[in-house]
């Protein structure tokens, strides 16, 4: 259950925040691929640390020892609970939720968090429903143990909500929190509670992951995205060439995805991925609010568009009014000479 709060009451909340924080205990659900921790988990750990109190982690996977080892080096983690079992192949929410419910039953955390990725979006609503609380999705700020900030209307308004639920179950927008550092910690691990039931609702069959030598879109320092202005999938080759010179990931607008130019895991925006790289280059993208919702927190935004009135120029730090089919090869050529 949520209550909307007025700005002037937030000071009072912050005052009581410090005194309440020692009673808090947060469980971070670790996202990983059994080999390494997914970067957004490190951002989620930073968010969890802002709540105050103890932060614990749950690693559920199949042969996930390396993940536990890596995580144990992150400072500020009280303990790591490990559930290493074939049942967690594919990280199905139907398998993970009973484990989390059993863990919550034993430890009564005040907060449970995960990253707002496909993994978190699959799991958090199901878990919240099983615990009979409201999920709080995609938070960008924490103003107190029960008060969270999130965007609404495709990022056009910011809403501050207070949750009255006994356990706050939320997902974290990675780009809104710094990544916790791996290095100094020495967290101990222990066996996670036994859920006492098996998942007979779903079965993991297989997965086909797209492989790329370029950096991952959500964690890349540089991103170049193409829009409908690219005109075809073949023309994205121009962006791949430029990206390879800049060690950049390549993204796309939804119009480019819907037109079949590129796969939808490249989509940036409200219904795609949220990115906040050091440099974002928007090529042939008009700058619709739904696209801006996914990239406007980038440190430096460059727009290349032939239409000087394109809304993307309103958010761009540097704008180039030009035909992309001329500008992009020229940029690649200049970088090739360096
Ligand atoms: C509920 C909802 C969710 C959505 N979610 C997303 C989302 O997650 N991500 C997203 O991107 N969109 C999303 N959209 C769609 C969004 O509203 C826009 O339709 C979309 O972003 C437009 O993509 P675009 O800028 O590539 O295409 P267009 O708006 O068609 O813009 C193409 C641009 O390319 C320029 N151009 C054309 N040729 C050239 C050239 N030769 N050289 C230079 N410039 C050129 C044009 O001037 C134009 O500005 C969503 C919409 C809805 C309703």
């Amino acid at each position: 259950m949520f209550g909307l709060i007025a700005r002037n009451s937030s000071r009072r909340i912050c005052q009581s925040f410090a005194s309440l924080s020692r009673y808090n205990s947060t469980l971070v659900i670790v996202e990983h691929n059994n080999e390494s921790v997914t970067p957004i988990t490190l951002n989620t750990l930073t968010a969890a640390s802002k709540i105050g109190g103890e932060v614990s982690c749950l690693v559920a996977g199949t042969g996930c020892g390396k993940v536990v080892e890596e995580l144990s080096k992150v400072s500020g983690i009280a303990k790591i609970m490990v559930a290493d079992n074939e049942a967690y192949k594919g990280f199905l929410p139907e398998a993970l939720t009973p484990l989390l419910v059993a863990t919550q039953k034993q430890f009564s955390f005040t907060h449970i968090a995960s990253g707002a990725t496909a993994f978190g979006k699959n799991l958090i609503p199901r878990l919240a429903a099983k615990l009979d609380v409201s999920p709080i999705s995609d938070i960008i700020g924490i103003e107190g143990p029960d008060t969270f900030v999130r965007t609404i209307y495709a990022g056009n308004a910011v809403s501050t909500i207070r949750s009255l639920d006994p356990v706050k179950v939320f997902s974290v927008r990675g780009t809104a929190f710094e990544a916790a550092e791996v290095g100094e910690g020495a967290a101990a691990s222990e066996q996670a509670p036994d859920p006492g039931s098996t998942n007979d609702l779903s079965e993991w069959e297989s997965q086909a992951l797209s492989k790329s030598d370029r950096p991952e879109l959500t964690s890349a320092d540089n991103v170049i995205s193409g829009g409908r202005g690219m005109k075809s999938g073949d023309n994205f080759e121009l962006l791949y060439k430029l990206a390879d010179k800049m060690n950049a990931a390549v993204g796309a607008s939804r119009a480019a995805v819907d037109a079949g130019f590129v796969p939808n895991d490249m989509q940036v925006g409200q219904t795609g991925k949220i990115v906040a790289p050091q440099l974002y280059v928007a090529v042939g993208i008009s700058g619709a609010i739904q696209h801006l919702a996914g990239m406007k927190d980038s440190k430096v935004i460059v727009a290349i568009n032939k239409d000087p009135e394109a809304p993307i120029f309103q958010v761009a730090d540097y704008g180039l009014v030009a035909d992309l089919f001329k500008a992009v090869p020229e940029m690649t050529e200049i970088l090739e000479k360096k």
Side-chain angles (χ1 to χ4, degrees), residues 17 29 40 45 62 117 122 234 243 307 312 329:
F17 185 21
I29 309 164
I40 196 165
L45 281 165
T62 315
T117 54
N122 257 345
D234 289 346
D307 174 10
I312 190 78

Side-chain angles (χ1 to χ4, degrees), residues 220-277:
D221 280 344
N222 301 322
V223 172
I224 303 174
S225 287
R228 199 184 334 241
M230 296 302 299
K231 305 232 166 14
S232 75
D234 289 346
N235 289 336
F236 264 72
E237 202 50 50
L238 296 174
L239 300 190
Y240 298 139
K241 276 192 191 152
L242 180 60
D244 289 342
K245 294 281 158 227
M246 294 168 57
N247 191 29
V250 178
S253 71
R254 176 157 157 183
V257 170
D258 287 351
F261 298 171
V262 288
N264 71 355
D265 62 353
M266 286 171 65
Q267 185 177 317
V268 172
Q270 184 191 341
T271 43
K273 290 182 175 154
I274 309 268
V275 300

Side-chain angles (χ1 to χ4, degrees), residues 226-229 231 252-256 267-272 284-288 290-291 304-307 310 322-325:
R228 199 184 334 241
K231 305 232 166 14
S253 71
R254 176 157 157 183
Q267 185 177 317
V268 172
Q270 184 191 341
T271 43
I285 291 178
S286 60
Q290 295 90 353
H291 187 78
I304 303 172
N305 198 303
K306 67 177 182 184
D307 174 10
D323 186 330
L324 71 91
F325 295 105

